[in-house]
Amino acid sequence: MAAPNLCSKCLRQALRYSLPSHVSRRTFAASATKSPSTERRLHQASRQRAAALEPQRSTVNEPLPNTSRGQQDKKDASQRQSPRVLLRPNNLFHSYTRSPSPEIRQRAAFIRQNAYCPHPDHQPTRQPTSPFDPEGRKTVEAGGAQQPPRHVSHECPDCGIPVSCCEEHFVDDYGSHLEICDMLRQINEDDHDLVSGRFFPEFEYPGVQIDEAQVNLTNWDTLLYSREFHAVNEDRPMRQVTRLLTYPITVGSVLHELSPYGLKDRILPEGLRSLSALRYTLHPPRSGAGIDVKGIRPNPPPMRLFVLGARAESSLPREVWLQLAHLFPRATFHVILIGPEAMANRDNEFPLPERTPANPFGAIVEDRLGGQMKISTYVEYFHTLHAAQHFYPYDPYFDCFVLFHPGLGHPASSHEWTETLPQLLETKVPVLCTGYTEFDMERDIAWVKEQAKGEADLLMQAGENRFRSLRWDLNDADPGDVSCGNWGVWAFRGKRYEADEYRGKREDGDGSGGWEK
Amino acid sequence: MPVGRIPSASYYDARNRPGASLYRARQPYLIKNAITGVVIVAFVAGVYSFTIRAIGQDDFSDVPIPDAPIQGAAAPHTTAGVRSAGPA
């Protein structure tokens, strides 16, 4: 195909329209960002589904995955000549059980089998996780907890999601359902939007920009504009795209030198020290490097981002992770995804590599991502890897730990972090944490403060993340639990004892590390 | 070239007007830019008006204008003793 005179954008558009329509189908299961995709190739425009065009066979671009899913779709497309169900934008609200999409019907079946009715008359099935949790109302003193727990089956007619076991309980508890009904309806429409078969221009991510291009990190709109994303005029595509981008951009927005958080905002002096060290690596001075022999310069090692407790973020499409590398043009990255659930929704990549002396933990290493980023996945607890000194030495100029909604203080998961936390503090490397809600973050901070016993310094005060996901996610095991990815962000680090100039006694008790607001 | 429906990817619509995302991207800077613009225009207007006033006509209303000269004697070119030499 003659393409010497087409710019890259026009070429991509032309390719997009000539792809066959049985391109990899996105299924968004459960409550997290999962995009099962075997594609790690960069120049793949196959995220789109050409909506109203007939599939045109093109001989040039067949880099499509020949996975079982791709072949199944090919067979389906050839067997049935009728076009796919296309949900129009004004036809996106459907009841989950009677949805036109089989994936959503499957989710509805899952919800009906796993979620319990939140009415106070039932007996509690689990500990309440927060003071706002409806499970906390199921107490005998409050006059409830008489009936055995029952699964939900009755759907709210306004939001289409099963929320109660029967209509009587639904009507009785309508007041508390009304608080989240609008949000659930929005989630319903967004979920149907993903399976509607429309064209997704918002999932076309831009590539690198020139070095001099400044990125504006004030809010999502300025970021997308200055990074030359395609224009997202409506709210719904904005929600869809920020749900994925929040993971790399949250990290980038804190580490970038043009970060919206500063000393006057939420960064503490200790935080500025850690961030300055990292920015030294991330924004190196120009060295006169070029592509010829005269332009050879010594390059520093890559910046290592350890994503601990990785679940959904490990299955993000790699173009999304590359957006982090594009924010820092002269820096290289090694994103290390560590956690027992790091292969969530990546079933196509099993079995894991063999454990050899060169790769003692059977890590999956993806290094064909364009030269600026390498992504490794370890299906292990971090304390195992730390005890084996696998990543030793840790350098505060190159390393950063990132914990996306770790649930440090959550009663169900905090025991898994007790062994890791002292090791994180001992490395003296900044640890960036996010949380689902303000309560979640406060609980995490309290847990860290208590476990660290004075050995931790707060680097960044907890607060709303400017680059949080704008889309709310539904927890399939509990439809009343809506959360948005990376709602808030904060950071801490092990306390460094360094000789400092004596400046007299401080009355504000600053020696405690800045934990109090 | 692509045929069919082309999705909107530009920040300007088909009639080259800014789209909603462009307005949202500009929104944090609207007030500050407007004030800066007003200040610049005011400065220019001030310089202009000062200059025009500075090069305008002077005001001589405080200077006393002497009376018109008296016609008549002691004007040397009107005595009769002068003989003209004829047209030259």
Side-chain angles (χ1 to χ4, degrees):
Chain A
M1 140 180 223
N5 304 323
L6 288 180
C7 74
S8 61
K9 287 192 179 148
C10 295
L11 184 60
R12 270 191 294 163
Q13 266 201 327
L15 277 179
R16 199 191 302 152
Y17 281 89
S18 59
L19 276 177
S21 70
H22 57 73
V23 150
S24 56
R25 190 184 286 242
R26 299 185 84 118
T27 50
F28 271 70
S31 70
T33 25
K34 296 174 182 84
S35 174
S37 157
T38 59
E39 280 311 295
R40 300 290 176 254
R41 290 172 228 252
L42 285 181
H43 308 289
Q44 184 59 264
S46 65
R47 298 271 163 270
Q48 322 305 334
R49 283 182 274 173
L53 301 176
E54 314 84 23
Q56 301 171 18
R57 303 281 152 188
S58 163
T59 53
V60 177
N61 46 328
E62 288 299 323
L64 293 172
N66 263 333
T67 61
S68 55
R69 190 177 286 144
Q71 279 166 347
Q72 182 66 31
D73 287 353
K74 252 190 238 191
K75 283 191 219 130
D76 284 353
S78 56
Q79 278 163 13
R80 50 180 172 82
Q81 300 300 327
S82 59
R84 252 201 306 273
V85 170
L86 191 66
L87 298 174
R88 296 272 154 209
N90 56 356
N91 185 25
L92 286 176
F93 171 65
H94 297 275
S95 141
Y96 264 31
T97 23
R98 286 176 288 278
S99 164
S101 154
E103 290 132 358
I104 297 195
R105 286 200 296 268
Q106 204 175 350
R107 271 186 76 181
F110 182 89
I111 295 177
R112 280 163 187 269
Q113 284 166 2
N114 290 307
Y116 290 102
C117 178
H119 195 272
D121 275 351
H122 293 290
Q123 284 156 5
T125 53
R126 56 178 172 86
Q127 289 287 335
T129 53
S130 78
F132 317 107
D133 197 348
E135 285 288 296
R137 301 178 305 173
K138 296 181 179 176
T139 53
V140 184
E141 297 86 38
Q146 308 299 335
Q147 303 174 12
R150 283 177 61 189
H151 288 293
V152 295
S153 67
H154 180 257
E155 284 184 356
C156 166
D158 288 324
C159 56
I161 294 175
V163 288
S164 288
C165 62
C166 53
E167 196 164 344
E168 293 83 34
H169 279 180
F170 173 69
V171 168
D172 208 20
D173 208 17
Y174 193 59
S176 70
H177 174 71
L178 215 51
E179 291 166 21
I180 53 171
C181 194
D182 290 334
M183 236 185 280
L184 289 179
R185 189 186 172 110
Q186 200 181 70
I187 292 173
N188 186 328
E189 290 182 1
D190 287 344
D191 279 337
H192 280 101
D193 182 50
L194 281 175
V195 296
S196 66
R198 73 171 170 99
F199 201 66
F200 291 100
E202 65 265 20
F203 291 134
E204 273 256 323
Y205 304 109
V208 285
Q209 285 175 299
I210 55 175
D211 271 3
E212 290 81 5
Q214 293 286 13
V215 183
N216 189 332
L217 291 165
T218 311
N219 57 30
W220 275 117
D221 302 300
T222 59
L223 173 76
L224 297 186
Y225 182 68
S226 48
R227 271 286 300 141
E228 294 180 17
F229 274 76
H230 290 311
V232 180
N233 289 321
E234 318 268 317
D235 278 338
R236 196 180 308 281
M238 192 70 166
R239 288 197 291 266
Q240 310 283 22
V241 79
T242 55
R243 185 192 190 209
L244 296 182
L245 284 178
T246 176
Y247 291 97
I249 303 289
T250 301
V251 178
S253 71
V254 177
L255 299 182
H256 203 276
E257 62 182 356
L258 301 174
S259 157
Y261 311 110
L263 275 182
K264 289 188 280 256
D265 205 335
R266 275 156 55 185
I267 304 279
L268 297 166
E270 285 296 326
L272 194 60
R273 281 195 182 123
S274 283
L275 289 175
S276 303
L278 290 174
R279 286 167 190 170
Y280 196 73
T281 313
L282 290 169
H283 299 279
R286 288 176 205 277
S287 54
I291 53 174
D292 50 0
V293 171
K294 287 207 181 109
I296 293 178
R297 297 282 182 275
N299 285 325
M303 162 99 192
R304 292 192 298 184
L305 282 176
F306 296 96
V307 180
L308 303 191
R311 299 178 301 259
E313 44 273 10
S314 62
S315 61
L316 276 178
R318 292 327 186 214
E319 294 115 17
V320 177
W321 275 116
L322 277 173
Q323 293 301 310
L324 176 61
H326 295 153
L327 280 179
F328 302 96
R330 289 193 300 281
T332 48
F333 284 89
H334 186 186
V335 177
I336 306 169
L337 304 159
I338 299 173
E341 294 167 60
M343 293 296 287
N345 236 352
R346 290 167 69 174
D347 303 322
N348 292 329
E349 298 178 47
F350 280 111
L352 294 176
E354 290 273 318
R355 294 194 171 206
T356 63
N359 188 357
F361 293 99
I364 297 177
V365 178
E366 300 163 51
D367 53 0
R368 307 277 174 181
L369 293 171
Q372 213 184 348
M373 185 174 268
K374 180 164 92 161
I375 301 183
S376 308
T377 311
Y378 289 81
V379 187
E380 284 284 350
Y381 281 106
F382 178 71
H383 48 250
T384 314
L385 298 169
H386 184 90
Q389 297 190 342
H390 189 62
F391 299 116
Y392 194 79
Y394 297 96
D395 191 334
Y397 281 79
F398 291 103
D399 300 334
C400 183
F401 289 101
V402 183
L403 273 54
F404 290 114
H405 337 108
L408 293 171
H410 194 281
S413 55
S414 63
H415 63 278
E416 294 173 326
W417 292 102
T418 40
E419 201 175 334
T420 307
L421 182 70
Q423 296 170 342
L424 295 182
L425 297 177
E426 153 194 308
T427 60
K428 307 287 188 254
V429 161
V431 182
L432 200 65
C433 301
T434 65
Y436 279 126
T437 61
E438 176 130 31
F439 176 76
D440 194 31
M441 278 199 301
E442 295 295 332
R443 190 173 48 188
D444 286 352
I445 295 179
W447 184 86
V448 168
K449 187 172 163 190
E450 180 210 326
Q451 292 280 322
K453 301 186 199 26
E455 282 294 322
D457 269 339
L458 196 65
L459 301 183
M460 179 174 168
Q461 285 165 352
E464 189 178 348
N465 181 6
R466 282 183 198 227
F467 295 98
R468 67 178 177 89
S469 159
L470 296 173
R471 181 176 153 175
W472 293 90
D473 291 321
L474 186 66
N475 182 1
D476 276 359
D478 181 11
D481 177 24
V482 287
S483 55
C484 82
N486 298 330
W487 186 89
V489 66
W490 62 288
F492 68 96
R493 187 199 65 202
K495 201 187 245 315
R496 279 169 33 205
Y497 295 94
E498 297 210 335
D500 201 0
E501 184 190 337
Y502 179 68
R503 294 194 188 92
K505 281 220 182 332
R506 288 193 243 229
E507 297 90 23
D508 54 352
D510 211 2
S512 61
W515 286 98
E516 293 79 30
K517 283 225 171 92
Chain B
M1 292 313 288
V3 294
R5 196 162 34 107
I6 298 179
S8 69
S10 162
Y11 284 88
Y12 295 89
D13 60 10
R15 292 166 59 189
N16 274 335
R17 287 175 308 187
S21 49
L22 188 54
Y23 278 122
R24 285 199 311 259
R26 291 174 176 169
Q27 206 257 333
Y29 304 101
L30 273 179
I31 304 286
K32 285 186 282 197
N33 287 356
I35 293 175
T36 309
V38 165
V39 166
I40 292 175
V41 168
F43 175 73
V44 167
V47 168
Y48 176 82
S49 55
F50 170 78
T51 309
I52 295 293
R53 286 182 63 182
I55 61 173
Q57 294 293 337
D58 284 335
D59 186 13
F60 292 116
S61 61
D62 54 339
V63 173
I65 299 178
D67 297 333
I70 304 169
Q71 300 293 331
H77 60 283
T78 55
T79 51
V82 174
R83 271 190 281 260
S84 81

